[in-house]
Amino acid sequence: MVIRTAACALAILGCATAAPAPPAGSSAVPAGAFAWRTLRAEHRVVLAAHDREGRPVVRKLHGLMLARRPDRFRVRALGPGDVTLFDLVAGAGGRCRLLEAARPPPEDIVRAVCEDLRWAYRLAPPSGGEAPEIRYADWQTVGREPVPMTIWLQNRARGYTVLIKAVRVELDVSVDDDALPAP
């Protein structure tokens, strides 16, 4: 099941690259981090998993994220040529809904993406389940708040690793309700 899930996720993602290693140094979270009310960010993402035959597969994609505390967010993954691979929204009670996908992934992948992003961005993490291993690095001050420009996430239960590198981050910006539809 894990291999099928990871293989399906990789089937909808972009170009091959090297597997992401955890960032060096301490992953301590500075005081005031994750105190923002809203976040708008652009990321470069590397995902490593295994295909159906158990071979390692690594893909790169471009990500856009919009979030509003305590628990609402929207994530769009873009592949080569900025083609939308998937666009999903999440909200209260662990709800998560796919808005669009080049090839709709199985529901367990959608749920996994939502749960792991909740953990990584400290957005009302899901009740139950095991938290992935998360390491933060490359802290920068945006406005007056520390923001990790690198997030490394390893979900052993689902068999994948993700490296998220922020390209651009804005905090506490106005977010239209239309930009965060109900999940």
Side-chain angles (χ1 to χ4, degrees), residues 10-172:
L10 291 172
I12 64 170
L13 300 177
C15 306
T17 189
S26 170
S27 62
V29 176
F34 301 104
W36 45 265
R37 291 180 313 278
T38 64
L39 171 135
R40 182 179 3 231
E42 177 181 356
H43 301 97
R44 297 290 177 212
V45 180
V46 178
L47 171 68
H50 292 86
D51 66 15
R52 292 178 188 185
E53 288 77 38
R55 294 180 302 234
V57 181
V58 182
R59 297 285 185 258
K60 281 202 256 188
L61 58 139
H62 180 199
L64 303 173
M65 182 169 187
L66 187 60
R68 181 170 46 210
R69 294 206 180 277
D71 55 13
R72 298 275 305 269
F73 68 90
R74 181 174 186 172
V75 173
R76 180 175 291 161
L78 306 169
D82 283 340
V83 171
T84 298
L85 301 172
F86 65 83
D87 186 3
L88 61 85
V89 292
R95 291 189 320 248
C96 189
R97 177 172 64 99
L98 191 63
L99 297 175
E100 175 186 355
R103 282 191 244 167
E107 182 60 31
D108 56 336
I109 291 176
V110 173
R111 197 170 35 256
V113 168
C114 287
E115 289 172 5
D116 287 345
L117 289 173
R118 281 186 180 100
W119 285 109
Y121 288 91
R122 299 183 178 200
L123 292 163
S127 59
E130 185 179 329
E133 179 183 354
I134 300 170
R135 295 190 193 175
Y136 301 102
D138 305 322
W139 291 90
Q140 292 185 13
T141 301
V142 176
R144 288 183 281 166
E145 297 179 35
V147 174
M149 299 306 277
T150 301
I151 300 173
W152 179 87
L153 182 148
Q154 184 173 50
N155 189 318
R156 290 173 205 237
R158 293 187 176 113
Y160 61 81
T161 302
V162 180
L163 180 67
I164 302 167
K165 291 226 171 231
V167 173
R168 181 179 53 86
V169 176
E170 298 173 273
L171 301 178
D172 299 328

